[in-house]
Coordinates of all heavy atoms in Angstrom, one line a residue:
M41 N 12.0 1.6 -13.7 CA 11.4 2.3 -12.6 C 11.8 1.6 -11.3 O 12.1 2.3 -10.3 CB 9.9 2.4 -12.7 CG 9.4 3.6 -13.4 SD 7.6 3.5 -13.6 CE 7.0 3.7 -12.0
A42 N 11.6 0.3 -11.2 CA 11.9 -0.4 -10.0 C 13.4 -0.3 -9.6 O 13.7 0.0 -8.4 CB 11.6 -1.9 -10.1
F43 N 14.3 -0.4 -10.6 CA 15.7 -0.2 -10.3 C 16.0 1.2 -9.8 O 16.8 1.4 -8.9 CB 16.5 -0.5 -11.6 CG 18.0 -0.4 -11.3 CD1 18.7 -1.4 -10.6 CD2 18.7 0.7 -11.8 CE1 20.0 -1.3 -10.4 CE2 20.1 0.8 -11.6 CZ 20.7 -0.2 -10.9
G44 N 15.3 2.2 -10.4 CA 15.5 3.6 -10.0 C 15.1 3.8 -8.6 O 15.7 4.5 -7.8
G45 N 13.9 3.2 -8.2 CA 13.4 3.4 -6.8 C 14.4 2.7 -5.9 O 14.7 3.3 -4.8
W46 N 14.9 1.5 -6.2 CA 15.8 0.8 -5.4 C 17.1 1.6 -5.2 O 17.6 1.8 -4.1 CB 16.1 -0.6 -6.0 CG 17.2 -1.3 -5.3 CD1 17.0 -2.0 -4.1 CD2 18.6 -1.3 -5.6 NE1 18.3 -2.5 -3.7 CE2 19.2 -2.1 -4.6 CE3 19.3 -0.7 -6.6 CZ2 20.6 -2.3 -4.6 CZ3 20.7 -0.9 -6.6 CH2 21.3 -1.7 -5.6
L47 N 17.6 2.2 -6.3 CA 18.8 3.0 -6.3 C 18.6 4.3 -5.4 O 19.5 4.7 -4.7 CB 19.2 3.4 -7.7 CG 20.6 3.9 -8.0 CD1 21.5 2.8 -7.7 CD2 20.7 4.4 -9.4
L48 N 17.4 4.9 -5.5 CA 17.1 6.0 -4.6 C 17.1 5.7 -3.2 O 17.7 6.4 -2.3 CB 15.7 6.6 -5.0 CG 15.3 7.9 -4.3 CD1 16.3 9.0 -4.6 CD2 13.9 8.3 -4.7
I49 N 16.6 4.5 -2.8 CA 16.7 4.0 -1.4 C 18.1 3.8 -1.0 O 18.6 4.3 0.1 CB 15.9 2.7 -1.2 CG1 14.4 2.9 -1.5 CG2 16.1 2.2 0.2 CD1 13.6 1.6 -1.6
A50 N 18.9 3.2 -1.9 CA 20.3 2.8 -1.5 C 21.1 4.1 -1.4 O 22.1 4.1 -0.6 CB 20.8 1.9 -2.6
T51 N 20.9 5.1 -2.2 CA 21.8 6.3 -2.2 C 21.2 7.5 -1.6 O 21.7 8.6 -1.7 CB 22.1 6.6 -3.7 OG1 20.9 6.9 -4.4 CG2 22.8 5.5 -4.4
S52 N 20.0 7.3 -0.8 CA 19.4 8.5 -0.2 C 20.3 9.2 0.8 O 20.3 10.4 0.9 CB 18.1 8.0 0.4 OG 18.3 7.1 1.4
G53 N 21.1 8.5 1.5 CA 22.0 9.1 2.4 C 23.1 9.9 1.7 O 23.4 11.0 2.1
I54 N 23.6 9.4 0.6 CA 24.7 10.1 -0.1 C 24.1 11.3 -0.8 O 24.7 12.4 -0.8 CB 25.3 9.1 -1.2 CG1 25.9 8.0 -0.4 CG2 26.3 9.9 -2.0 CD1 26.3 6.8 -1.4
L55 N 22.9 11.2 -1.4 CA 22.3 12.3 -2.2 C 22.0 13.5 -1.3 O 22.2 14.6 -1.8 CB 21.0 11.8 -2.8 CG 21.1 10.8 -4.0 CD1 19.7 10.4 -4.5 CD2 21.8 11.5 -5.2
S56 N 21.6 13.3 -0.1 CA 21.2 14.4 0.7 C 22.2 14.8 1.7 O 22.1 15.8 2.4 CB 19.9 14.1 1.4 OG 20.0 13.0 2.2
G57 N 23.2 14.0 1.9 CA 24.2 14.2 3.0 C 23.6 13.6 4.2 O 22.4 13.9 4.5
V58 N 24.3 12.8 4.9 CA 23.7 12.1 6.0 C 23.5 13.1 7.2 O 24.4 14.0 7.4 CB 24.6 10.9 6.5 CG1 24.1 10.3 7.7 CG2 24.7 9.9 5.4
T59 N 22.4 13.1 7.8 CA 22.1 14.0 8.9 C 23.0 13.8 10.1 O 23.7 12.8 10.1 CB 20.7 13.9 9.3 OG1 20.4 12.6 9.8 CG2 19.7 14.2 8.2
A60 N 22.9 14.6 11.1 CA 23.8 14.5 12.2 C 23.6 13.2 13.0 O 24.5 12.7 13.6 CB 23.6 15.7 13.1
K61 N 22.3 12.7 12.9 CA 22.0 11.5 13.6 C 22.5 10.2 12.9 O 22.5 9.1 13.4 CB 20.5 11.4 13.9 CG 20.0 12.4 14.8 CD 18.5 12.2 15.0 CE 17.9 13.3 15.9 NZ 16.5 13.2 16.0
G62 N 23.0 10.4 11.7 CA 23.5 9.3 10.9 C 22.5 8.6 10.1 O 22.8 7.6 9.5
H63 N 21.3 9.1 10.0 CA 20.2 8.5 9.2 C 19.9 9.4 8.0 O 19.9 10.6 8.1 CB 19.0 8.3 10.0 CG 19.2 7.4 11.2 ND1 19.5 6.1 11.1 CD2 19.2 7.7 12.5 CE1 19.6 5.6 12.3 NE2 19.5 6.5 13.2
P64 N 19.6 8.8 6.8 CA 19.2 9.7 5.7 C 17.8 10.2 6.0 O 17.0 9.5 6.7 CB 19.2 8.7 4.5 CG 19.1 7.3 5.1 CD 19.7 7.4 6.5
P65 N 17.4 11.3 5.5 CA 16.0 11.9 5.7 C 15.0 10.9 5.2 O 15.2 10.3 4.1 CB 16.0 13.2 4.9 CG 17.2 13.2 4.0 CD 18.2 12.2 4.6
P66 N 13.9 10.7 5.9 CA 13.0 9.6 5.5 C 12.2 10.0 4.2 O 11.7 9.1 3.6 CB 12.0 9.6 6.7 CG 12.2 10.8 7.5 CD 13.6 11.3 7.2
V67 N 12.2 11.3 3.8 CA 11.4 11.6 2.6 C 12.0 10.9 1.4 O 11.2 10.3 0.6 CB 11.4 13.1 2.4 CG1 10.8 13.5 1.1 CG2 10.7 13.8 3.6
L68 N 13.3 10.9 1.3 CA 13.9 10.2 0.1 C 13.7 8.7 0.1 O 13.4 8.1 -0.9 CB 15.4 10.5 0.1 CG 15.8 11.9 -0.6 CD1 17.3 12.1 -0.5 CD2 15.3 12.0 -2.0
V69 N 13.8 8.1 1.3 CA 13.6 6.7 1.5 C 12.2 6.3 1.1 O 11.9 5.4 0.4 CB 14.0 6.2 2.9 CG1 13.7 4.7 3.0 CG2 15.4 6.5 3.2
I70 N 11.2 7.1 1.6 CA 9.8 6.9 1.3 C 9.5 7.0 -0.2 O 8.8 6.2 -0.8 CB 8.9 7.8 2.2 CG1 9.0 7.4 3.6 CG2 7.5 7.8 1.7 CD1 8.3 8.4 4.6
C71 N 10.1 8.1 -0.8 CA 9.9 8.2 -2.3 C 10.5 7.0 -3.0 O 9.9 6.5 -3.9 CB 10.7 9.5 -2.7 SG 9.8 11.0 -2.4
G72 N 11.6 6.5 -2.6 CA 12.2 5.3 -3.2 C 11.3 4.1 -3.1 O 11.1 3.4 -4.0
F73 N 10.7 3.9 -1.9 CA 9.8 2.8 -1.6 C 8.6 2.9 -2.5 O 8.1 2.0 -3.1 CB 9.4 2.7 -0.2 CG 10.3 1.8 0.6 CD1 11.1 2.4 1.6 CD2 10.4 0.5 0.4 CE1 12.0 1.6 2.4 CE2 11.3 -0.3 1.1 CZ 12.0 0.2 2.1
V74 N 8.0 4.2 -2.6 CA 6.8 4.4 -3.4 C 7.1 4.1 -4.9 O 6.3 3.4 -5.5 CB 6.3 5.8 -3.2 CG1 5.2 6.1 -4.3 CG2 5.7 6.0 -1.8
V75 N 8.2 4.6 -5.4 CA 8.6 4.3 -6.8 C 8.8 2.8 -7.0 O 8.3 2.2 -8.0 CB 9.8 5.1 -7.2 CG1 10.3 4.7 -8.6 CG2 9.5 6.6 -7.2
F76 N 9.6 2.2 -6.1 CA 9.9 0.8 -6.3 C 8.6 -0.1 -6.2 O 8.3 -0.9 -7.1 CB 10.9 0.4 -5.2 CG 11.3 -1.1 -5.3 CD1 12.2 -1.5 -6.2 CD2 10.7 -2.0 -4.4 CE1 12.6 -2.8 -6.3 CE2 11.0 -3.4 -4.5 CZ 12.0 -3.8 -5.4
G77 N 7.8 0.2 -5.2 CA 6.5 -0.6 -5.0 C 5.6 -0.4 -6.1 O 4.9 -1.3 -6.6
G78 N 5.5 0.9 -6.6 CA 4.6 1.2 -7.7 C 5.0 0.5 -9.0 O 4.2 -0.1 -9.7
A79 N 6.3 0.4 -9.2 CA 6.8 -0.3 -10.4 C 6.5 -1.8 -10.3 O 6.1 -2.4 -11.3 CB 8.3 -0.1 -10.6
I80 N 6.7 -2.4 -9.1 CA 6.4 -3.8 -9.0 C 4.9 -4.1 -9.1 O 4.5 -5.1 -9.8 CB 6.9 -4.3 -7.6 CG1 8.4 -4.1 -7.5 CG2 6.5 -5.7 -7.3 CD1 9.2 -4.9 -8.5
L81 N 4.1 -3.2 -8.6 CA 2.6 -3.4 -8.7 C 2.2 -3.3 -10.2 O 1.4 -4.1 -10.7 CB 1.9 -2.5 -7.8 CG 1.9 -2.8 -6.3 CD1 1.2 -1.7 -5.5 CD2 1.2 -4.1 -6.0
L82 N 2.7 -2.3 -10.9 CA 2.4 -2.1 -12.3 C 2.8 -3.3 -13.1 O 2.1 -3.8 -13.9 CB 3.2 -0.9 -12.8 CG 2.4 0.5 -12.8 CD1 3.3 1.6 -13.4 CD2 1.1 0.4 -13.6
L83 N 4.0 -3.8 -12.8 CA 4.5 -5.0 -13.5 C 3.6 -6.2 -13.3 O 3.3 -7.0 -14.2 CB 5.9 -5.3 -13.0 CG 6.7 -6.4 -13.8 CD1 7.0 -5.9 -15.2 CD2 8.0 -6.7 -13.1
Q84 N 3.1 -6.3 -12.0 CA 2.2 -7.5 -11.7 C 0.9 -7.4 -12.3 O 0.4 -8.4 -12.8 CB 2.1 -7.6 -10.2 CG 3.3 -8.1 -9.4 CD 3.6 -9.5 -9.8 OE1 2.7 -10.3 -9.9 NE2 4.8 -9.8 -10.0
F85 N 0.3 -6.2 -12.4 CA -1.1 -6.1 -12.8 C -1.3 -5.6 -14.2 O -2.3 -5.7 -14.8 CB -1.9 -5.3 -11.8 CG -2.0 -5.9 -10.5 CD1 -1.2 -5.4 -9.4 CD2 -2.8 -7.0 -10.3 CE1 -1.3 -6.0 -8.2 CE2 -2.9 -7.6 -9.0 CZ -2.1 -7.1 -8.0
W86 N -0.3 -5.0 -14.8 CA -0.4 -4.3 -16.1 C 0.1 -5.1 -17.3 O -0.3 -5.1 -18.4 CB 0.2 -2.9 -16.0 CG -0.1 -2.1 -17.2 CD1 -1.3 -1.8 -17.7 CD2 0.8 -1.3 -18.0 NE1 -1.2 -0.9 -18.8 CE2 0.1 -0.6 -18.9 CE3 2.2 -1.2 -17.9 CZ2 0.7 0.2 -19.9 CZ3 2.8 -0.4 -18.9 CH2 2.1 0.3 -19.8
V87 N 1.2 -5.9 -17.0 CA 1.8 -6.7 -18.0 C 1.1 -8.1 -18.1 O 1.2 -8.9 -17.3 CB 3.3 -6.9 -17.7 CG1 3.9 -7.8 -18.8 CG2 4.0 -5.6 -17.6
T88 N 0.2 -8.2 -19.1 CA -0.6 -9.4 -19.3 C -0.4 -9.9 -20.8 O 0.0 -9.1 -21.7 CB -2.1 -9.1 -19.1 OG1 -2.5 -8.1 -20.0 CG2 -2.3 -8.7 -17.6
C89 N -0.7 -11.1 -20.9 CA -0.7 -11.7 -22.3 C -1.8 -11.1 -23.1 O -3.0 -11.1 -22.6 CB -0.9 -13.3 -22.2 SG -1.1 -14.1 -23.8
P90 N -1.6 -10.7 -24.4 CA -2.6 -10.2 -25.2 C -3.7 -11.2 -25.6 O -4.8 -10.8 -26.0 CB -1.9 -9.6 -26.4 CG -0.6 -10.4 -26.5 CD -0.3 -10.7 -25.0
K91 N -3.4 -12.5 -25.6 CA -4.3 -13.5 -26.0 C -5.1 -14.1 -24.8 O -6.4 -14.0 -24.8 CB -3.6 -14.6 -26.8 CG -4.6 -15.6 -27.3 CD -3.8 -16.7 -28.1 CE -4.8 -17.8 -28.6 NZ -4.0 -18.9 -29.2
C92 N -4.4 -14.6 -23.8 CA -5.1 -15.3 -22.7 C -5.2 -14.4 -21.5 O -5.9 -14.8 -20.5 CB -4.4 -16.6 -22.4 SG -2.8 -16.4 -21.6
S93 N -4.7 -13.2 -21.5 CA -4.8 -12.2 -20.4 C -4.2 -12.7 -19.0 O -4.5 -12.1 -18.0 CB -6.3 -11.8 -20.2 OG -6.8 -11.2 -21.3
R94 N -3.4 -13.7 -19.0 CA -2.7 -14.1 -17.8 C -1.6 -13.1 -17.5 O -1.0 -12.6 -18.4 CB -2.2 -15.5 -17.9 CG -3.3 -16.5 -18.3 CD -3.6 -17.6 -17.5 NE -2.9 -18.2 -16.4 CZ -2.7 -19.5 -16.3 NH1 -3.0 -20.3 -17.2 NH2 -2.1 -19.9 -15.2
R95 N -1.3 -12.9 -16.2 CA -0.3 -12.0 -15.8 C 1.1 -12.6 -16.1 O 1.4 -13.7 -15.7 CB -0.4 -11.7 -14.4 CG -1.6 -10.9 -14.1 CD -1.7 -10.6 -12.6 NE -3.0 -10.1 -12.3 CZ -3.7 -10.4 -11.1 NH1 -3.0 -11.0 -10.2 NH2 -4.9 -9.9 -10.9
L96 N 2.0 -11.8 -16.8 CA 3.3 -12.2 -17.2 C 4.4 -11.5 -16.4 O 5.6 -11.7 -16.7 CB 3.5 -12.0 -18.7 CG 2.5 -12.7 -19.6 CD1 2.8 -12.3 -21.1 CD2 2.7 -14.2 -19.5
G97 N 4.0 -10.7 -15.5 CA 5.0 -9.9 -14.7 C 6.1 -10.7 -14.1 O 7.3 -10.4 -14.3
Q98 N 5.7 -11.7 -13.3 CA 6.7 -12.5 -12.6 C 7.6 -13.3 -13.6 O 8.8 -13.5 -13.4 CB 6.0 -13.5 -11.7 CG 5.7 -12.8 -10.4 CD 5.1 -13.8 -9.4 OE1 4.5 -14.8 -9.8 NE2 5.4 -13.6 -8.1
T99 N 7.0 -13.8 -14.7 CA 7.7 -14.5 -15.7 C 8.8 -13.7 -16.4 O 9.9 -14.2 -16.6 CB 6.7 -15.1 -16.8 OG1 5.6 -15.7 -16.1 CG2 7.4 -16.0 -17.7
I100 N 8.5 -12.4 -16.6 CA 9.4 -11.6 -17.4 C 10.3 -10.8 -16.4 O 11.5 -10.6 -16.8 CB 8.6 -10.6 -18.2 CG1 7.8 -11.4 -19.3 CG2 9.5 -9.6 -18.9 CD1 6.9 -10.6 -20.1
A101 N 9.9 -10.5 -15.2 CA 10.6 -9.6 -14.3 C 12.0 -10.1 -14.0 O 13.0 -9.4 -14.0 CB 9.8 -9.3 -13.1
M102 N 12.1 -11.4 -13.5 CA 13.4 -11.9 -13.0 C 14.4 -11.9 -14.1 O 15.5 -11.5 -13.9 CB 13.2 -13.2 -12.4 CG 12.5 -13.1 -11.0 SD 13.5 -12.1 -9.9 CE 12.2 -11.3 -9.0
P103 N 14.1 -12.5 -15.3 CA 15.2 -12.5 -16.4 C 15.6 -11.1 -16.8 O 16.8 -10.9 -17.0 CB 14.5 -13.2 -17.5 CG 13.4 -14.0 -16.9 CD 12.9 -13.3 -15.7
V104 N 14.6 -10.2 -16.8 CA 15.0 -8.8 -17.2 C 15.8 -8.1 -16.1 O 16.8 -7.4 -16.4 CB 13.7 -8.0 -17.5 CG1 14.0 -6.5 -17.7 CG2 13.1 -8.5 -18.8
A105 N 15.4 -8.3 -14.8 CA 16.1 -7.6 -13.7 C 17.5 -8.1 -13.6 O 18.4 -7.3 -13.3 CB 15.3 -7.8 -12.4
F106 N 17.7 -9.4 -13.7 CA 19.1 -9.9 -13.4 C 19.9 -10.1 -14.7 O 21.1 -10.4 -14.6 CB 19.0 -11.1 -12.6 CG 18.4 -10.8 -11.2 CD1 17.2 -11.3 -10.8 CD2 19.2 -10.1 -10.3 CE1 16.7 -11.0 -9.6 CE2 18.7 -9.8 -9.1 CZ 17.4 -10.2 -8.7
G107 N 19.2 -10.1 -15.8 CA 19.9 -10.2 -17.1 C 20.6 -11.5 -17.4 O 21.3 -11.7 -18.4
G108 N 20.5 -12.5 -16.5 CA 21.1 -13.8 -16.7 C 20.5 -14.6 -17.9 O 21.2 -15.0 -18.7
K109 N 19.2 -14.7 -17.9 CA 18.5 -15.4 -18.9 C 17.8 -14.4 -19.8 O 17.4 -13.3 -19.4 CB 17.5 -16.3 -18.3 CG 18.1 -17.5 -17.7 CD 17.0 -18.6 -17.4 CE 15.9 -18.1 -16.6 NZ 15.0 -19.2 -16.2
K110 N 17.6 -14.8 -21.1 CA 16.9 -13.9 -22.0 C 15.4 -14.0 -21.6 O 14.9 -15.1 -21.4 CB 17.1 -14.4 -23.4 CG 16.6 -13.5 -24.5 CD 17.0 -14.0 -25.9 CE 16.5 -13.1 -26.9 NZ 15.1 -13.4 -27.3
A111 N 14.8 -12.8 -21.6 CA 13.3 -12.8 -21.3 C 12.6 -13.6 -22.4 O 12.9 -13.5 -23.6 CB 12.8 -11.4 -21.2
P112 N 11.6 -14.4 -22.0 CA 10.8 -15.2 -23.0 C 10.1 -14.2 -24.0 O 9.6 -13.2 -23.6 CB 9.9 -16.0 -22.2 CG 9.7 -15.3 -20.9 CD 11.0 -14.6 -20.7
N113 N 10.0 -14.6 -25.3 CA 9.3 -13.8 -26.2 C 8.0 -14.4 -26.6 O 7.4 -14.2 -27.6 CB 10.1 -13.5 -27.5 CG 10.5 -14.8 -28.2 OD1 10.3 -15.9 -27.7 ND2 11.2 -14.6 -29.3
F114 N 7.5 -15.4 -25.7 CA 6.2 -16.0 -26.0 C 5.5 -16.2 -24.6 O 6.2 -16.2 -23.6 CB 6.4 -17.4 -26.7 CG 7.2 -18.3 -25.9 CD1 6.6 -19.2 -25.0 CD2 8.6 -18.3 -26.0 CE1 7.4 -20.1 -24.2 CE2 9.3 -19.2 -25.2 CZ 8.7 -20.1 -24.3
C115 N 4.2 -16.3 -24.6 CA 3.5 -16.6 -23.4 C 3.7 -18.0 -23.0 O 3.4 -18.9 -23.8 CB 2.0 -16.3 -23.6 SG 1.0 -16.7 -22.2
P116 N 4.1 -18.2 -21.7 CA 4.3 -19.6 -21.3 C 3.0 -20.4 -21.1 O 3.1 -21.6 -21.0 CB 5.1 -19.5 -20.0 CG 4.8 -18.1 -19.5 CD 4.5 -17.3 -20.7
Y117 N 1.9 -19.7 -21.0 CA 0.6 -20.3 -20.8 C -0.1 -20.8 -22.1 O -0.6 -21.8 -22.2 CB -0.3 -19.4 -20.0 CG 0.3 -19.0 -18.7 CD1 0.8 -17.7 -18.5 CD2 0.5 -19.9 -17.6 CE1 1.4 -17.3 -17.3 CE2 1.1 -19.5 -16.5 CZ 1.6 -18.2 -16.3 OH 2.2 -17.9 -15.1
C118 N -0.1 -19.9 -23.1 CA -0.8 -20.2 -24.3 C 0.1 -20.3 -25.5 O -0.3 -20.7 -26.6 CB -1.9 -19.2 -24.6 SG -1.4 -17.6 -25.0
G119 N 1.4 -19.8 -25.4 CA 2.3 -20.0 -26.5 C 2.3 -18.9 -27.5 O 3.1 -18.9 -28.5
V120 N 1.4 -17.8 -27.4 CA 1.4 -16.8 -28.4 C 2.7 -16.0 -28.4 O 3.3 -15.8 -27.3 CB 0.1 -15.9 -28.2 CG1 0.3 -15.0 -26.9 CG2 -0.1 -15.0 -29.4
S121 N 3.1 -15.5 -29.5 CA 4.4 -14.7 -29.6 C 4.1 -13.3 -29.1 O 3.1 -12.7 -29.4 CB 4.8 -14.6 -31.1 OG 5.9 -13.7 -31.1
L122 N 5.0 -12.9 -28.2 CA 4.9 -11.5 -27.6 C 5.6 -10.5 -28.5 O 5.5 -9.3 -28.3 CB 5.5 -11.5 -26.2 CG 4.8 -12.5 -25.2 CD1 5.6 -12.4 -23.9 CD2 3.4 -12.1 -25.0
D123 N 6.3 -10.9 -29.5 CA 7.0 -10.0 -30.4 C 6.2 -9.7 -31.7 O 6.4 -8.7 -32.3 CB 8.4 -10.6 -30.9 CG 9.4 -10.6 -29.7 OD1 9.2 -9.8 -28.8 OD2 10.3 -11.4 -29.8
A124 N 5.2 -10.5 -32.0 CA 4.4 -10.3 -33.2 C 3.5 -9.1 -33.0 O 3.1 -8.8 -31.8 CB 3.6 -11.6 -33.5
A125 N 3.1 -8.5 -34.1 CA 2.2 -7.3 -34.0 C 0.8 -7.8 -33.6 O 0.4 -8.9 -33.9 CB 2.1 -6.7 -35.4
M126 N 0.2 -7.0 -32.8 CA -1.2 -7.3 -32.3 C -2.2 -7.2 -33.4 O -2.1 -6.2 -34.2 CB -1.6 -6.5 -31.1 CG -0.7 -6.8 -29.8 SD -1.2 -5.8 -28.4 CE -2.9 -6.3 -28.2
P127 N -3.2 -8.1 -33.4 CA -4.2 -8.0 -34.5 C -5.1 -6.7 -34.3 O -5.3 -6.2 -33.2 CB -5.0 -9.2 -34.4 CG -4.8 -9.7 -33.0 CD -3.4 -9.2 -32.6
Ligands
ZN991 ZN1 -1.1 -16.3 -23.1

């Protein structure tokens, strides 16, 4: 979702055709910001450890977004496996 919102911001001028003033229409840019910001907020507050309930959004977001490092499959705070089935 965050990548889609970012892509919408970046391509809003191309998608709609740049207006005579040379700026993309603000509606598309605002939609992109809302989607991007909503995805980041969801990641921050919704992705939590099932055992200790600490927020894992920041821990997981960067490796997933940039793909350089493998996202951790365990909670860095309590060590519970994030791949195991929940009780
Ligand atoms: Zn935990």
Side-chain angles (χ1 to χ4, degrees):
M41 266 177 68
F43 181 74
W46 174 84
L47 198 63
L48 183 61
I49 295 168
T51 60
S52 60
I54 298 167
L55 287 176
S56 62
V58 178
T59 61
K61 293 179 181 175
H63 301 292
V67 172
L68 277 178
V69 176
I70 290 170
C71 283
F73 269 114
V74 168
V75 170
F76 181 79
I80 296 300
L81 286 176
L82 266 178
L83 189 67
Q84 285 295 318
F85 295 105
W86 191 50
V87 179
T88 58
C89 172
K91 184 178 177 190
C92 68
S93 299
R94 304 235 354 221
R95 292 182 194 144
L96 300 175
Q98 278 186 327
T99 308
I100 293 172
M102 287 301 143
V104 170
F106 295 109
K109 286 194 303 186
K110 189 173 180 278
N113 61 355
F114 61 91
C115 173
Y117 304 106
C118 68
V120 71
S121 172
L122 301 175
D123 290 337
M126 288 182 62

